[in-house]
């Protein structure tokens, strides 16, 4: 049996080279504030993978994506074990674009802090009088750089995203920048509307895109998971305050309240986080999570 080692390892994901494809494994690691926590969250990787699978299928009419299969029987023998079962996705190889595509439908988090100071989010002027957690008149696109592990992403303007892409792809910067912005907004609108019908508000999220061998823009990485998005329950949604969530905001809040934790979570916080992920999966897909 051929052995595989990750060719790239992020805070949560491991990427394995399979020749003409990749195997991307979502581990049970969890990160917050750009730090990998000392605990793992049971079943987290499998939930993220299965949720991405659901959304990739749901949005394939908007933009193609990199998913080939989540069945380890379609992967090399090395991945046919409990360690990888449910957590692995066989994907097309892409040349990833160096931009993280963030879209905000509601004002919260760092966007709310910025708005209170300047009435803007990432330099974009917003209407006066918004309250925390208000729905924005239209989704706002706020791209960032894609930092290396351990570094922080930096907010950039659309014009700066054009410049970054133009430097890497001469003559194509504006075309690619506009394409990924348009896809980001279209993906968010379709998925946010669907999620709302299932009782979940998608406050904000991020997407990543790459190019296939023909230069076509393709959606990659993960999609609308609790790691890449803020999910709020529609039931009890009350603007003017922070909202309870189905995502790792619960972990962030606990870490803020316990600054001496050394990034180690108590077992009850781990269990509650797993429960929130599973609840979101059930509400969005209509199916109980199974490995």
């Amino acid at each position: 049996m051929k052995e595989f080692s990750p060719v790239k390892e992020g805070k949560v994901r491991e990427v394995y080279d399979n020749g003409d494809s990749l195997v991307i494994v979502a581990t049970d690691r969890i990160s917050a504030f750009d730090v990998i926590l000392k605990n793992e969250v049971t079943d987290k990787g499998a939930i993220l993978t299965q949720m991405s699978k659901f959304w990739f299928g749901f949005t394939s009419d908007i933009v193609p994506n990199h998913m080939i299969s989540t069945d380890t029987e379609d992967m090399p023998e090395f991945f046919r074990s409990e360690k990888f079962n449910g957590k692995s996705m066989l994907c097309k190889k892409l040349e990833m674009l160096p931009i993280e595509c963030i879209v905000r439908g509601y004002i919260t988090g760092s966007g709310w802090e910025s708005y209170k100071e300047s009435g803007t989010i990432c330099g974009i002027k917003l209407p006066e009088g918004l309250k925390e957690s208000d729905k924005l008149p239209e989704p706002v696109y706020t791209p960032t750089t894609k930092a290396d592990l351990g570094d922080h992403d930096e907010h950039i303007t659309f014009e700066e995203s054009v410049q970054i892409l133009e430097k890497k792809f001469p003559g194509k910067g504006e075309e690619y920048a506009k394409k990924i912005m348009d896809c980001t907004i279209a993906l968010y609108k379709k998925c946010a509307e669907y999620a709302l019908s299932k009782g979940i508000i998608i406050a904000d999220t991020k997407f990543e895109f790459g190019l296939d061998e023909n230069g076509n823009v393709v959606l990659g990485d993960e999609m609308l998971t609790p790691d890449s998005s803020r999910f709020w329950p529609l039931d009890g949604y009350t603007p003017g305050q922070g909202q309870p969530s189905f995502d790792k905001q619960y972990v962030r809040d606990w870490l803020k309240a316990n600054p001496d934790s050394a990034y180690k979570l108590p077992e009850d916080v781990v269990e509650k986080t797993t429960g929130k992920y599973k609840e979101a999966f059930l509400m969005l897909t209509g199916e109980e999570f199974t490995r």
Side-chain angles (χ1 to χ4, degrees):
M1 180 178 68
K2 180 181 176 181
E3 297 286 325
F4 286 79
S5 297
V7 294
K8 184 179 179 183
E9 196 162 358
K11 292 189 284 289
V12 173
R13 282 169 179 72
E14 298 170 350
V15 181
Y16 297 81
D17 192 332
N18 187 42
D20 60 354
S21 60
L22 298 173
V23 176
I24 300 179
V25 178
T27 71
D28 288 341
R29 295 192 297 265
I30 187 167
S31 69
F33 307 116
D34 290 322
V35 175
I36 299 170
L37 275 60
K38 294 175 182 176
N39 312 71
E40 291 193 340
V41 176
T42 307
D43 285 332
K44 174 177 172 286
I47 295 169
L48 297 186
T49 298
Q50 301 308 314
M51 196 172 287
S52 285
K53 175 186 176 182
F54 170 79
W55 289 118
F56 282 142
F58 184 71
T59 58
S60 59
D61 60 323
I62 294 176
V63 61
N65 61 69
H66 70 165
M67 182 178 69
I68 298 172
S69 176
T70 57
D71 186 346
T72 52
E73 290 299 313
D74 296 329
M75 303 173 200
E77 185 181 352
F78 176 80
F79 297 99
R80 297 172 204 165
S81 69
E82 179 61 25
K83 177 182 177 182
F84 297 106
N85 184 41
K87 300 178 179 180
S88 307
M89 184 177 289
L90 184 67
C91 299
K92 301 170 188 172
K93 278 188 171 178
L94 303 176
E95 181 174 8
M96 297 304 291
L97 301 179
I99 305 290
E100 292 210 338
C101 300
I102 296 171
V103 56
R104 305 166 189 263
Y106 294 73
I107 188 163
T108 187
S110 63
W112 171 241
E113 296 303 318
S114 173
Y115 177 78
K116 286 192 294 184
E117 289 180 9
S118 63
T120 66
I121 293 181
C122 303
I124 300 170
K125 185 69 176 174
L126 296 180
E128 295 181 3
L130 292 177
K131 302 186 295 294
E132 182 179 7
S133 305
D134 264 343
K135 183 177 182 179
L136 296 170
E138 283 293 325
V140 175
Y141 177 65
T142 57
T144 71
T145 58
K146 194 184 295 184
D148 294 327
L149 184 63
D151 295 331
H152 293 279
D153 302 330
E154 294 183 5
H155 291 292
I156 55 176
T157 64
F158 171 77
E159 289 71 25
E160 287 171 326
S161 75
V162 172
Q163 293 168 10
I164 290 170
L165 292 169
E166 182 65 25
K167 186 175 181 180
K168 189 172 179 64
F169 306 101
K172 289 284 193 175
E174 186 167 3
E175 175 188 336
Y176 288 151
K178 187 173 188 310
K179 176 71 173 178
I180 62 177
M181 177 181 70
D182 290 346
C183 285
T184 294
I185 297 295
L187 289 167
Y188 175 77
K189 284 185 173 180
K190 178 174 183 176
C191 296
E193 181 180 1
Y194 169 82
L196 200 63
S197 75
K198 301 298 181 180
I200 290 180
I201 293 170
I202 302 176
D204 53 40
T205 192
K206 77 170 180 70
F207 302 114
E208 295 192 32
F209 297 89
L211 304 177
D212 66 13
E213 67 276 10
N214 298 314
N216 299 312
V217 170
V218 176
L219 179 61
D221 195 58
E222 63 182 319
M223 183 179 185
L224 286 164
T225 70
D227 268 21
S228 66
S229 319
R230 280 190 176 92
F231 292 162
W232 297 338
L234 176 60
D235 185 26
Y237 166 63
T238 308
Q241 61 187 42
Q243 308 297 314
S245 67
F246 291 108
D247 54 63
K248 64 180 180 180
Q249 188 61 42
Y250 175 70
V251 171
R252 294 189 193 101
D253 292 343
W254 187 88
L255 290 169
K256 282 182 181 178
N258 296 271
D260 298 327
S261 66
Y263 289 96
K264 182 175 177 62
L265 303 173
E267 193 56 36
D268 65 309
V269 175
V270 172
E271 291 177 1
K272 188 166 183 178
T273 301
T274 299
K276 284 177 173 291
Y277 280 37
K278 288 182 176 179
E279 185 181 359
F281 184 87
L282 172 61
M283 291 177 69
L284 288 168
T285 67
E287 299 178 0
E288 294 276 358
F289 167 75
T290 56
R291 287 286 293 272

